[in-house]
Amino acid sequence: MTTARWDIEAVRAAFPALAIADNGKSRVYLDAPGGSQVPARVVERMSEVMLRSCANEGGAFRTSHDSDRIMMGAHAAAAAFLGAQPDEVVFGQNSTSLIFHFSRMVARDWRPGDEIVLTRMDHDGNVGPWIIAAEERGVTIRWLDFDPETFEYRYDMLDELVGPRTRLIACNHASNIFGTVNDVARIVAAGKAVGAVTMVDAVQSAPHLPIDVAAMGCDLLAGSAYKFFGPHAGVMFVAATLRDRLAPLKVRPASFDMPWRHTPGTPSFEAQAGTQAAIEHIAWLGEHCGGTGAEATLRQRIVAGLEAATAYEASLMDRFLAGIMSIPGLALYGIVGRNRLDARVPTFSFRLAKRSPQEIAAALAEENIFGWAGDFYAHEASGRLGLREKGGVARLGLSHYTTADEVDQVVEAVARLAN
Ligand SMILES: Cc1ncc(COP(=O)(O)O)c(C=O)c1O
């Protein structure tokens, strides 16, 4: 439970970029769903790795031992972050590449007539790779839809979609366009009941909510470190049972042991070190704002940090929704109920009657407010809502480093654009 107060000044002081102003105008970073800002400790750790211990792993000398240690530390930290074991963690370039990589292995024994379930809500990073694998194997794709009124999955379809031929279900924990937090445990359970591989995309939830792969029960789960305050890198959880069953896509001399079993080639040691530092930032939030002591385990401090961030972000969401929903001509694509804040992350997509999303993003940029316009590769969702041809939506993402004043500032700016 959160007992300490959210120390927004200390949180912001951890991120040098938040202090930058251009021509006297502070930057308002509401672009976090595309990529978050980075605490100094992440960059310091990465530059230390590159300046003082830059070597490949597995050698007899000091800097190579450093690389071995960096990998061990990063895998342990990512495991604590996800509720997994260190040998169930694979680092890669980003989530999409990791999903492509695992899709090749998972699909190897699919047969024509088999089926997979994909969703109309996911980012294409958790759709496209599976479509390609299905096409190669003659496998039928069945689609889990969402309700365009509630922006939630049509859980009522699961019984009809999932059957004895289902080989895979891929879904997302939080939508990158609607912000909906989905009941992935329910979807995973439906897949598990028929022996399907279950894949969860946690790219948008990981910066906001504690991830617990054991509670979800999934086989695979992907996250991108640059969305949770780290460097450009991806991280995949692969459950031990699936990990050992998959015939690894590895070159012959590479070890069958983890992480090499599922890590082709030389990884970015500096990105792994930076990812560990980003996770340590979240653990620091647990100590500083979440009421845990430094003696608590890394996992306990991470969970406390994210729970405290969730509570703070809920107050920002409430403020944002109260302001934005009174703007005439504004249509929000996502859950609006201020009593349902636990069903969403602070990612808000909307359109204005009189301005295109691109005009909104450009006008906000003029005020040094950074936001997005487009469909953000939520390809099925934007197609399903007929938004793809219309420039998509404008998207603003709040973060644990956003202030209430910034929320007010952007609400006022959007209100001016609505006229
Ligand atoms: C929900 C979701 N999944 C997957 C991705 C793809 O991530 P990456 O670019 O790290 O592969 C994104 C990126 O925005 C995302 O938001």
Side-chain angles (χ1 to χ4, degrees):
M1 264 319 283
T2 305
T3 51
R5 87 179 173 92
W6 189 257
D7 187 354
I8 187 67
E9 291 81 20
V11 169
R12 285 178 70 83
F15 291 82
L18 300 184
I20 301 174
D22 307 286
N23 302 323
K25 261 190 195 163
S26 300
R27 296 180 179 179
V28 180
Y29 297 91
L30 301 182
D31 57 331
S36 60
Q37 297 308 300
V38 176
R41 72 163 80 209
V42 168
V43 185
E44 284 160 9
R45 184 83 181 97
M46 292 176 77
S47 74
E48 186 188 305
V49 163
M50 297 218 73
L51 290 172
R52 299 180 60 92
S53 47
C54 197
N56 215 328
E57 55 73 45
F61 50 99
R62 188 179 290 271
T63 49
S64 184
H65 289 163
D66 287 343
S67 293
D68 295 339
R69 273 194 292 274
I70 288 163
M71 282 203 306
M72 275 175 56
H75 284 75
F81 186 58
L82 302 174
Q85 296 301 316
D87 62 3
E88 295 176 310
V89 170
V90 178
F91 278 91
Q93 199 181 342
N94 51 46
S95 291
T96 307
S97 329
L98 284 163
I99 296 171
F100 264 116
H101 182 69
F102 277 87
S103 71
R104 280 193 68 190
M105 289 184 278
V106 168
R108 265 184 172 158
D109 64 350
W110 291 355
R111 300 276 170 266
D114 283 347
E115 298 174 359
I116 64 172
V117 177
L118 306 179
T119 91
R120 300 261 186 232
M121 198 195 289
D122 274 66
H123 182 286
D124 216 52
N126 196 25
V127 179
W130 302 114
I131 292 180
I132 293 170
E135 282 169 359
E136 284 171 359
R137 297 268 152 200
V139 162
T140 304
I141 299 170
R142 312 204 63 197
W143 291 96
L144 176 60
D145 204 356
F146 63 89
D147 182 332
E149 302 288 316
T150 65
F151 304 97
E152 293 179 287
Y153 280 137
R154 289 269 317 275
Y155 298 102
D156 59 299
M157 293 177 71
L158 280 172
D159 276 353
E160 182 242 325
L161 288 178
V162 180
R165 303 263 353 219
T166 310
R167 306 303 309 275
L168 168 99
I169 301 188
C171 64
N172 70 61
H173 190 199
S175 157
N176 73 323
I177 185 162
F178 307 140
T180 315
V181 174
N182 297 305
D183 187 354
V184 288
R186 181 168 174 184
I187 298 173
V188 166
K192 288 273 134 192
V194 295
V197 170
T198 52
M199 161 84 221
V200 174
D201 175 340
V203 171
Q204 290 293 334
S205 51
H208 305 289
L209 304 170
I211 305 291
D212 184 348
V213 289
M216 288 180 187
C218 57
D219 297 305
L220 294 166
L221 178 140
S224 294
Y226 67 94
K227 312 269 195 197
F228 60 83
F229 327 114
H232 291 93
V235 58
M236 180 74 98
F237 157 76
V238 52
T241 42
L242 179 68
R243 174 197 69 202
D244 298 341
R245 211 166 75 218
L246 294 175
L249 264 179
K250 65 171 210 60
V251 292
R252 289 170 299 169
S255 167
F256 276 96
D257 295 335
M258 287 295 280
W260 305 115
R261 184 179 182 85
H262 293 305
T263 308
T266 308
S268 169
F269 304 110
E270 60 275 20
Q272 292 193 16
T275 303
Q276 178 174 355
I279 293 168
E280 285 164 359
H281 164 77
I282 294 170
W284 169 77
L285 293 174
E287 287 170 47
H288 197 72
C289 305
T292 48
E295 73 295 341
T297 65
L298 179 59
R299 171 81 186 158
Q300 286 166 337
R301 286 177 287 134
I302 291 167
V303 170
L306 286 165
E307 283 178 355
T310 304
Y312 175 68
E313 290 171 12
S315 71
L316 295 181
M317 284 197 268
D318 190 55
R319 195 176 183 105
F320 182 85
L321 281 170
I324 210 94
M325 293 315 290
S326 62
I327 296 176
L330 184 142
L332 194 114
Y333 295 84
I335 292 171
V336 293
R338 289 167 61 198
N339 56 352
R340 295 218 48 221
L341 297 177
D342 57 346
R344 59 150 45 255
V345 291
T347 296
F348 296 97
S349 292
F350 60 94
R351 290 182 61 93
L352 290 176
K354 294 185 185 161
R355 304 256 194 164
S356 72
Q358 288 65 27
E359 285 170 333
I360 298 169
L364 293 178
E366 288 286 309
E367 301 196 31
N368 235 14
I369 299 174
F370 303 172
W372 294 105
D375 67 23
F376 330 112
Y377 287 19
H379 189 73
E380 292 295 329
S382 55
R384 168 82 171 77
L385 296 177
L387 294 169
R388 223 185 280 152
E389 315 70 38
K390 297 199 297 186
V393 287
R395 182 180 69 173
L396 301 171
L398 314 180
S399 182
H400 75 288
Y401 49 69
T402 307
T403 65
D405 283 351
E406 288 177 324
V407 170
D408 295 345
Q409 196 183 328
V410 74
V411 168
E412 281 162 29
V414 174
R416 280 195 299 277
L417 292 172
N419 293 316

Short mmCIF file of all heavy atoms in Angstrom, two decimals, residues 33-35 93-99 121-126 172 174-177 201-205 222-227 233-234 376-377 395, ligand 1:
data_model
loop_
_atom_site.label_atom_id
_atom_site.label_comp_id
_atom_site.label_asym_id
_atom_site.label_seq_id
_atom_site.Cartn_x
_atom_site.Cartn_y
_atom_site.Cartn_z
N PRO A 33 3.55 7.49 -24.78
CA PRO A 33 3.15 6.20 -25.38
C PRO A 33 4.04 5.82 -26.57
O PRO A 33 4.15 4.64 -26.93
CB PRO A 33 1.70 6.46 -25.85
CG PRO A 33 1.23 7.59 -25.00
CD PRO A 33 2.44 8.45 -24.76
N GLY A 34 4.70 6.80 -27.18
CA GLY A 34 5.65 6.50 -28.25
C GLY A 34 7.04 6.25 -27.70
O GLY A 34 7.84 5.53 -28.30
N GLY A 35 7.36 6.84 -26.58
CA GLY A 35 8.68 6.67 -25.97
C GLY A 35 8.80 7.66 -24.83
O GLY A 35 8.47 8.83 -24.99
N GLN A 93 16.27 -6.28 -29.79
CA GLN A 93 16.31 -4.90 -30.30
C GLN A 93 15.07 -4.10 -29.89
O GLN A 93 15.17 -2.94 -29.51
CB GLN A 93 16.39 -4.99 -31.82
CG GLN A 93 16.88 -3.75 -32.47
CD GLN A 93 16.91 -3.93 -33.99
OE1 GLN A 93 16.87 -5.04 -34.49
NE2 GLN A 93 16.96 -2.82 -34.68
N ASN A 94 13.91 -4.71 -29.99
CA ASN A 94 12.64 -4.07 -29.62
C ASN A 94 11.59 -5.17 -29.56
O ASN A 94 11.88 -6.33 -29.87
CB ASN A 94 12.24 -2.97 -30.63
CG ASN A 94 12.29 -3.48 -32.05
OD1 ASN A 94 11.80 -4.56 -32.34
ND2 ASN A 94 12.91 -2.72 -32.94
N SER A 95 10.38 -4.82 -29.19
CA SER A 95 9.33 -5.86 -29.05
C SER A 95 9.01 -6.52 -30.38
O SER A 95 8.84 -7.74 -30.45
CB SER A 95 8.05 -5.24 -28.49
OG SER A 95 8.27 -4.86 -27.18
N THR A 96 8.92 -5.72 -31.41
CA THR A 96 8.51 -6.27 -32.71
C THR A 96 9.50 -7.32 -33.19
O THR A 96 9.11 -8.41 -33.64
CB THR A 96 8.39 -5.12 -33.75
OG1 THR A 96 7.52 -4.12 -33.22
CG2 THR A 96 7.83 -5.63 -35.07
N SER A 97 10.80 -7.02 -33.10
CA SER A 97 11.80 -8.01 -33.56
C SER A 97 11.72 -9.27 -32.71
O SER A 97 11.88 -10.38 -33.23
CB SER A 97 13.23 -7.50 -33.46
OG SER A 97 13.32 -6.18 -33.64
N LEU A 98 11.50 -9.09 -31.41
CA LEU A 98 11.42 -10.28 -30.55
C LEU A 98 10.19 -11.12 -30.92
O LEU A 98 10.26 -12.36 -30.96
CB LEU A 98 11.35 -9.85 -29.08
CG LEU A 98 12.69 -9.40 -28.48
CD1 LEU A 98 12.47 -8.61 -27.18
CD2 LEU A 98 13.59 -10.61 -28.20
N ILE A 99 9.08 -10.45 -31.21
CA ILE A 99 7.87 -11.21 -31.57
C ILE A 99 8.08 -11.92 -32.91
O ILE A 99 7.71 -13.08 -33.08
CB ILE A 99 6.62 -10.30 -31.56
CG1 ILE A 99 6.37 -9.77 -30.14
CG2 ILE A 99 5.38 -11.07 -32.05
CD1 ILE A 99 5.29 -8.69 -30.02
N MET A 121 -7.50 -5.07 -31.56
CA MET A 121 -7.08 -3.93 -30.73
C MET A 121 -5.56 -3.77 -30.69
O MET A 121 -5.06 -2.70 -30.39
CB MET A 121 -7.62 -4.10 -29.30
CG MET A 121 -7.62 -2.80 -28.50
SD MET A 121 -7.84 -3.03 -26.73
CE MET A 121 -9.53 -3.54 -26.61
N ASP A 122 -4.84 -4.84 -31.02
CA ASP A 122 -3.39 -4.81 -30.80
C ASP A 122 -2.63 -3.88 -31.75
O ASP A 122 -3.04 -3.65 -32.88
CB ASP A 122 -2.82 -6.23 -30.98
CG ASP A 122 -2.89 -7.04 -29.71
OD1 ASP A 122 -4.00 -7.35 -29.26
OD2 ASP A 122 -1.82 -7.35 -29.16
N HIS A 123 -1.51 -3.40 -31.27
CA HIS A 123 -0.48 -2.79 -32.12
C HIS A 123 -0.04 -3.87 -33.12
O HIS A 123 0.01 -5.06 -32.78
CB HIS A 123 0.69 -2.39 -31.22
CG HIS A 123 1.84 -1.72 -31.91
ND1 HIS A 123 2.73 -2.37 -32.71
CD2 HIS A 123 2.26 -0.42 -31.87
CE1 HIS A 123 3.64 -1.53 -33.15
NE2 HIS A 123 3.37 -0.33 -32.66
N ASP A 124 0.29 -3.46 -34.34
CA ASP A 124 0.59 -4.46 -35.36
C ASP A 124 1.85 -5.28 -35.05
O ASP A 124 2.06 -6.33 -35.64
CB ASP A 124 0.70 -3.83 -36.75
CG ASP A 124 0.15 -4.77 -37.82
OD1 ASP A 124 -1.00 -5.23 -37.65
OD2 ASP A 124 0.88 -5.09 -38.78
N GLY A 125 2.65 -4.82 -34.11
CA GLY A 125 3.81 -5.59 -33.69
C GLY A 125 3.43 -6.95 -33.12
O GLY A 125 4.23 -7.89 -33.13
N ASN A 126 2.19 -7.06 -32.62
CA ASN A 126 1.72 -8.35 -32.08
C ASN A 126 0.62 -8.92 -32.97
O ASN A 126 -0.18 -9.73 -32.52
CB ASN A 126 1.21 -8.17 -30.64
CG ASN A 126 1.07 -9.49 -29.90
OD1 ASN A 126 1.75 -10.48 -30.21
ND2 ASN A 126 0.18 -9.52 -28.92
N ASN A 172 -3.21 -7.87 -26.17
CA ASN A 172 -2.41 -6.87 -25.47
C ASN A 172 -2.94 -6.59 -24.06
O ASN A 172 -4.13 -6.71 -23.80
CB ASN A 172 -2.24 -5.58 -26.28
CG ASN A 172 -3.51 -4.78 -26.41
OD1 ASN A 172 -4.07 -4.33 -25.43
ND2 ASN A 172 -3.97 -4.59 -27.63
N ALA A 174 -2.39 -3.55 -22.44
CA ALA A 174 -3.00 -2.21 -22.53
C ALA A 174 -2.89 -1.74 -23.98
O ALA A 174 -1.85 -1.90 -24.62
CB ALA A 174 -2.31 -1.23 -21.60
N SER A 175 -3.98 -1.16 -24.46
CA SER A 175 -4.03 -0.71 -25.85
C SER A 175 -3.22 0.58 -26.03
O SER A 175 -3.33 1.50 -25.22
CB SER A 175 -5.49 -0.46 -26.24
OG SER A 175 -5.56 0.45 -27.32
N ASN A 176 -2.47 0.64 -27.14
CA ASN A 176 -1.66 1.85 -27.37
C ASN A 176 -2.48 2.96 -28.00
O ASN A 176 -1.99 4.07 -28.17
CB ASN A 176 -0.44 1.53 -28.26
CG ASN A 176 -0.81 1.29 -29.70
OD1 ASN A 176 -1.84 0.71 -30.00
ND2 ASN A 176 0.04 1.72 -30.61
N ILE A 177 -3.74 2.68 -28.34
CA ILE A 177 -4.59 3.74 -28.92
C ILE A 177 -5.72 4.12 -27.98
O ILE A 177 -6.00 5.30 -27.78
CB ILE A 177 -5.07 3.36 -30.35
CG1 ILE A 177 -5.86 4.51 -31.00
CG2 ILE A 177 -5.88 2.08 -30.37
CD1 ILE A 177 -6.01 4.40 -32.50
N ASP A 201 1.21 -8.69 -25.18
CA ASP A 201 1.99 -7.49 -25.46
C ASP A 201 1.79 -6.53 -24.29
O ASP A 201 0.69 -6.01 -24.09
CB ASP A 201 1.48 -6.89 -26.77
CG ASP A 201 2.13 -5.56 -27.12
OD1 ASP A 201 2.69 -4.91 -26.20
OD2 ASP A 201 2.06 -5.15 -28.28
N ALA A 202 2.86 -6.33 -23.52
CA ALA A 202 2.77 -5.46 -22.34
C ALA A 202 3.51 -4.14 -22.56
O ALA A 202 3.86 -3.46 -21.60
CB ALA A 202 3.31 -6.18 -21.12
N VAL A 203 3.72 -3.79 -23.83
CA VAL A 203 4.51 -2.60 -24.13
C VAL A 203 3.90 -1.35 -23.48
O VAL A 203 4.61 -0.51 -22.93
CB VAL A 203 4.66 -2.41 -25.66
CG1 VAL A 203 5.30 -1.07 -25.99
CG2 VAL A 203 5.49 -3.55 -26.24
N GLN A 204 2.57 -1.23 -23.54
CA GLN A 204 1.95 0.00 -23.02
C GLN A 204 1.58 -0.09 -21.55
O GLN A 204 1.33 0.94 -20.92
CB GLN A 204 0.70 0.35 -23.84
CG GLN A 204 1.00 0.82 -25.25
CD GLN A 204 1.74 2.17 -25.31
OE1 GLN A 204 1.64 2.99 -24.40
NE2 GLN A 204 2.49 2.38 -26.37
N SER A 205 1.52 -1.27 -20.99
CA SER A 205 1.18 -1.37 -19.57
C SER A 205 2.42 -1.26 -18.69
O SER A 205 2.36 -0.71 -17.59
CB SER A 205 0.45 -2.69 -19.29
OG SER A 205 1.17 -3.77 -19.81
N ALA A 222 5.87 -9.42 -24.05
CA ALA A 222 6.88 -8.49 -24.58
C ALA A 222 6.73 -7.11 -23.98
O ALA A 222 5.62 -6.65 -23.70
CB ALA A 222 6.74 -8.40 -26.10
N GLY A 223 7.87 -6.44 -23.77
CA GLY A 223 7.89 -5.04 -23.35
C GLY A 223 9.02 -4.33 -24.06
O GLY A 223 9.95 -4.96 -24.57
N SER A 224 8.94 -3.00 -24.11
CA SER A 224 9.98 -2.20 -24.76
C SER A 224 10.54 -1.23 -23.72
O SER A 224 9.81 -0.38 -23.20
CB SER A 224 9.41 -1.42 -25.95
OG SER A 224 8.99 -2.32 -26.96
N ALA A 225 11.84 -1.34 -23.46
CA ALA A 225 12.44 -0.57 -22.35
C ALA A 225 12.31 0.93 -22.55
O ALA A 225 12.20 1.68 -21.59
CB ALA A 225 13.91 -0.96 -22.18
N TYR A 226 12.30 1.37 -23.81
CA TYR A 226 12.25 2.83 -24.03
C TYR A 226 10.86 3.41 -23.72
O TYR A 226 10.68 4.62 -23.75
CB TYR A 226 12.67 3.17 -25.47
CG TYR A 226 11.71 2.68 -26.52
CD1 TYR A 226 10.71 3.49 -27.01
CD2 TYR A 226 11.80 1.38 -27.00
CE1 TYR A 226 9.81 3.04 -27.94
CE2 TYR A 226 10.90 0.91 -27.93
CZ TYR A 226 9.92 1.75 -28.40
OH TYR A 226 9.01 1.29 -29.33
N LYS A 227 9.88 2.55 -23.46
CA LYS A 227 8.57 3.05 -22.99
C LYS A 227 8.55 3.10 -21.47
O LYS A 227 7.68 3.72 -20.89
CB LYS A 227 7.44 2.15 -23.46
CG LYS A 227 7.46 1.76 -24.92
CD LYS A 227 6.70 2.69 -25.81
CE LYS A 227 6.47 2.02 -27.16
NZ LYS A 227 6.11 2.94 -28.21
N ALA A 233 15.42 -0.77 -26.46
CA ALA A 233 15.66 -2.21 -26.37
C ALA A 233 14.32 -2.88 -26.09
O ALA A 233 13.39 -2.23 -25.60
CB ALA A 233 16.63 -2.52 -25.22
N GLY A 234 14.26 -4.16 -26.41
CA GLY A 234 13.04 -4.92 -26.11
C GLY A 234 13.37 -6.03 -25.14
O GLY A 234 14.53 -6.45 -25.01
N PHE A 376 -0.54 5.01 -35.03
CA PHE A 376 0.46 4.40 -34.14
C PHE A 376 0.55 2.87 -34.33
O PHE A 376 0.79 2.14 -33.36
CB PHE A 376 0.19 4.74 -32.67
CG PHE A 376 -0.49 6.07 -32.50
CD1 PHE A 376 -1.80 6.15 -32.05
CD2 PHE A 376 0.16 7.25 -32.85
CE1 PHE A 376 -2.45 7.37 -31.96
CE2 PHE A 376 -0.48 8.46 -32.75
CZ PHE A 376 -1.78 8.53 -32.30
N TYR A 377 0.33 2.42 -35.55
CA TYR A 377 0.37 0.99 -35.89
C TYR A 377 -0.74 0.19 -35.21
O TYR A 377 -0.69 -1.03 -35.18
CB TYR A 377 1.73 0.36 -35.56
CG TYR A 377 2.87 0.74 -36.47
CD1 TYR A 377 2.84 1.86 -37.29
CD2 TYR A 377 4.02 -0.05 -36.53
CE1 TYR A 377 3.90 2.20 -38.10
CE2 TYR A 377 5.09 0.27 -37.34
CZ TYR A 377 5.02 1.41 -38.12
OH TYR A 377 6.09 1.74 -38.92
N ARG A 395 -3.06 11.86 -30.00
CA ARG A 395 -2.84 11.04 -28.81
C ARG A 395 -1.92 11.75 -27.83
O ARG A 395 -0.84 12.20 -28.19
CB ARG A 395 -2.22 9.69 -29.20
CG ARG A 395 -2.01 8.75 -28.03
CD ARG A 395 -1.40 7.42 -28.44
NE ARG A 395 -0.01 7.56 -28.87
CZ ARG A 395 0.80 6.53 -29.17
NH1 ARG A 395 0.33 5.30 -29.12
NH2 ARG A 395 2.03 6.75 -29.56
C1 LIG B 1 1.32 -1.86 -27.64
C2 LIG B 1 2.57 -1.83 -28.47
N1 LIG B 1 3.06 -2.99 -28.92
C3 LIG B 1 4.18 -3.04 -29.65
C4 LIG B 1 4.86 -1.89 -29.99
C5 LIG B 1 6.09 -1.99 -30.81
O1 LIG B 1 7.20 -1.71 -30.04
P1 LIG B 1 8.65 -1.71 -30.67
O2 LIG B 1 8.70 -0.53 -31.58
O3 LIG B 1 9.54 -1.61 -29.49
O4 LIG B 1 8.83 -2.95 -31.41
C6 LIG B 1 4.39 -0.65 -29.55
C7 LIG B 1 5.08 0.59 -29.92
O5 LIG B 1 4.55 1.66 -29.83
C8 LIG B 1 3.20 -0.62 -28.77
O6 LIG B 1 2.70 0.52 -28.32
#
